[in-house]
Amino acid sequence: MIEVLAPGPYATVQDLGRPGFAHLGVPRSGAADARSLRLANRLVGNAEGLAGIELTLGMARLLFHDGAWVALAGAPLDTAAGMGAPFWVPSGAELRLGMPAWGLRTYLAVRGGIAVEPVLGSRSTDSLSGLGPEPLRAGTLLPVGPPEGEISVDLAPPPEPGPAVLRVTPGPRDDWFAPDALGVLCARPYTVSQDSNRVGVRLSGAELVRAKEGELPSEGMVTGAIQVPPSGQPIVFLADHPPTGGYPVIGVVREADLPVAAQLRPGDEVRFTARPGR
Amino acid sequence: MIRTAGEHGLLVETGSLELSHRLDAALRADRPAEVVEIVPGPETVLVLAPGADQGRLRARLADVVERERGKGGAVAAEGAAVTIPVVYDGADLDSVAALAGISVDEVISRHSGRELVVGWLGFAPGFAYLTGLDPVLEMPRLDTPRTSVPAGSVAVAGPYSAVYPTASPGGWRLLGRTSVRVWDVAADPPSLFRPGMRVRFEPA
């Protein structure tokens, strides 16, 4: 059992989400930076899809009622334990996690996984619909599952922060915009706004001008969709995005770059590129 | 036309809700490998298939659309209509009657007097946009949404009716309530409503 003493600014249990229910209005949800959750799980010998803790801007304190192997991946925290390698937390010990040096979301995996009750096959908190466990708060008790498999000792040092670049596949509604809109999107960096969350990264910068007026009938949305509301300021959809939406999507961030989008902090700058390849 | 929606998604333009439903039903009955989501909308169906050969999937979808378009006529009806008993005592019943210029009894008979079709789901898990509402009952949303609408509330807004699947904020006009659970995470499937399903309300 892990007892949350302090969750930091926002922390939730996340696995790889609940795919297959979008037609019933259920977001996929799951770790915003799924690559980091998978890595943290591998480091403690878990299957990649087990549930871990997604911390936003770190600052959590966790009391381990039982000893456990733990690993951290994603936004690198200033912690004695270290990132990207499994470490042992003894029974009765408190794990104190600091602020990330860069990035937004850190994933804590525990050997055996967080074993809260699944909802529709997933232990993820969906911040949009409220499905899954409540966000963590002081006093939340998190059961840990039985360990399976072996820890094959591994080391995955966190990458250095690079310039944030999101590669874009144009469409499906790029033709709803002025002919140069994709060029405008890619010309200058955008700034990440304060109201970003697990639903999406809201951006401010050059306005994307519509060519087509009127309403787009509601249609299915994919993760990474760059949706453009009437303000012309784009929103990149993350894990908890609504399954359908009514604003045109000028392009979609490539899957490999979703972890980059998920690590953007308010105030960060991000660039788009629509060139094929790199 | 089939549009690209990222590396793994294809957005099929159907142009009509009826064809969206037929394509949805056809794809669910004979699901192409690697398809994880089929999301019908009023004029589109989004098909999400990570790892699929996009060219091959695109060709197959084009074939299915062509075949379903050729069928024309009636919507592929999915079994019998679901009946939802409603206690018509909603907070907005009087104002809907006043706005429509008809009596409360007529609101009830017009709401329950015809078969609706589940268009698509969105806004919240299990929240179904029911199409085919009597045009007399088409209403603007409330100027100020309620902070909490109880689960089971039966409401109208624009050309749609809906049953609130869970307690949530909402700006639709409340006609009444039903004890039918339209959303239950413990059930399989969790949603009573699925796109294309026919629904009839009846006074409880």
Side-chain angles (χ1 to χ4, degrees):
Chain A
M1 197 73 87
I2 299 173
E3 182 178 347
V4 178
L5 300 178
Y10 183 72
T12 55
V13 174
Q14 294 295 338
D15 56 19
L16 299 179
R18 34 185 82 82
F21 296 104
H23 64 296
L24 302 182
V26 178
R28 176 174 177 134
S29 193
D33 172 0
R35 187 161 66 199
S36 292
L37 173 67
R38 288 172 190 269
L39 171 61
N41 270 326
R42 285 200 304 274
L43 287 167
V44 292
N46 285 346
E48 288 187 338
L50 290 198
I53 301 175
E54 180 181 284
L55 301 164
T56 309
L57 286 173
M59 301 299 283
R61 294 192 294 121
L62 304 168
L63 177 64
F64 282 69
H65 290 197
D66 310 287
W69 285 98
V70 170
L72 297 165
L77 296 178
D78 176 16
T79 166
M83 300 290 299
F87 58 93
W88 175 256
V89 181
S91 174
E94 183 186 325
L95 183 62
R96 289 168 171 264
L97 301 167
M99 277 273 286
W102 59 270
L104 183 63
R105 296 181 169 100
T106 305
Y107 294 83
L108 182 149
V110 55
R111 183 159 159 76
I114 302 291
V116 295
E117 206 51 44
V119 175
L120 299 179
S122 167
R123 298 181 164 93
S124 289
T125 298
D126 179 349
S127 64
L128 187 71
S129 76
L131 290 179
E134 292 281 304
L136 306 190
R137 55 176 66 119
T140 301
L141 290 173
L142 298 171
V144 175
E148 279 172 24
E150 299 293 318
I151 296 185
S152 50
V153 178
D154 207 72
L155 180 69
E160 291 299 310
V165 179
L166 302 176
R167 289 166 294 175
V168 174
T169 304
R173 297 290 176 186
D174 47 328
D175 55 345
W176 276 58
F177 296 87
D180 66 337
L182 210 55
V184 171
L185 176 75
C186 298
R188 277 188 302 280
Y190 281 80
T191 305
V192 177
S193 119
Q194 279 294 341
D195 353 303
S196 299
N197 53 27
R198 285 180 43 82
V199 173
V201 183
R202 287 175 181 268
L203 299 169
S204 61
E207 184 184 341
L208 303 174
V209 177
R210 286 260 291 262
K212 217 181 232 187
E213 291 309 319
E215 293 275 299
L216 178 72
S218 182
E219 65 188 24
M221 291 280 145
V222 298
T223 307
I226 306 166
Q227 207 192 41
V228 185
S231 66
Q233 302 291 305
I235 302 167
V236 177
F237 273 163
L238 296 182
D240 289 355
H241 71 86
T244 58
Y247 296 131
V249 170
I250 189 170
V252 178
V253 173
R254 288 178 54 174
E255 188 178 38
D257 294 345
L258 288 176
V260 175
Q263 293 297 355
L264 293 170
R265 285 186 189 190
D268 279 354
E269 289 205 330
V270 60
R271 245 176 210 290
F272 292 95
T273 173
R275 273 173 307 184
R278 275 203 74 86
Chain B
M1 181 172 179
I2 298 180
R3 294 168 177 267
T4 300
E7 300 143 280
H8 310 304
L10 291 172
L11 186 72
V12 184
E13 295 199 298
T14 60
S16 75
L17 187 59
E18 288 76 13
L19 186 53
S20 292
H21 287 161
R22 281 207 295 273
L23 179 58
D24 174 60
L27 291 173
R28 280 179 204 284
D30 184 14
R31 181 183 285 250
E34 290 153 325
V35 167
V36 295
E37 301 281 8
I38 304 161
V39 191
E43 297 183 7
T44 55
V45 176
L46 173 69
V47 177
L48 202 58
D53 179 324
Q54 292 278 299
R56 196 177 297 173
L57 182 61
R58 192 181 275 267
R60 171 140 179 217
L61 292 174
D63 281 350
V64 180
V65 174
E66 205 50 46
R67 196 179 70 218
E68 294 300 321
R69 200 190 297 277
K71 287 182 184 170
V75 184
E78 197 191 300
V82 172
T83 301
I84 305 285
V86 180
V87 177
Y88 283 97
D89 62 356
D92 302 315
L93 195 55
D94 291 336
S95 68
V96 168
L99 281 165
I102 55 179
S103 69
V104 164
D105 282 349
E106 200 176 344
V107 170
I108 296 168
S109 70
R110 283 176 184 267
H111 187 252
S112 56
R114 61 162 76 192
E115 219 167 70
L116 305 182
V117 173
V118 176
W120 68 98
L121 290 89
F123 171 63
F127 190 99
Y129 290 80
L130 304 173
T131 62
L133 184 70
D134 188 318
V136 170
L137 298 180
E138 287 189 15
M139 291 286 141
R141 288 153 173 266
L142 297 174
D143 290 339
T144 310
R146 291 185 169 86
T147 53
S148 184
V149 175
S153 296
V154 176
V156 291
Y160 309 114
S161 186
V163 180
Y164 278 81
T166 49
S168 69
W172 292 35
R173 293 178 193 261
L174 308 181
L175 300 186
R177 60 199 154 87
T178 180
S179 56
V180 172
R181 280 185 83 174
V182 300
W183 174 253
D184 178 3
V185 289
D188 182 22
S191 173
L192 172 67
F193 296 136
R194 290 185 295 284
M197 185 182 263
R198 293 173 298 135
V199 178
R200 183 181 282 280
F201 292 105
E202 103 187 341

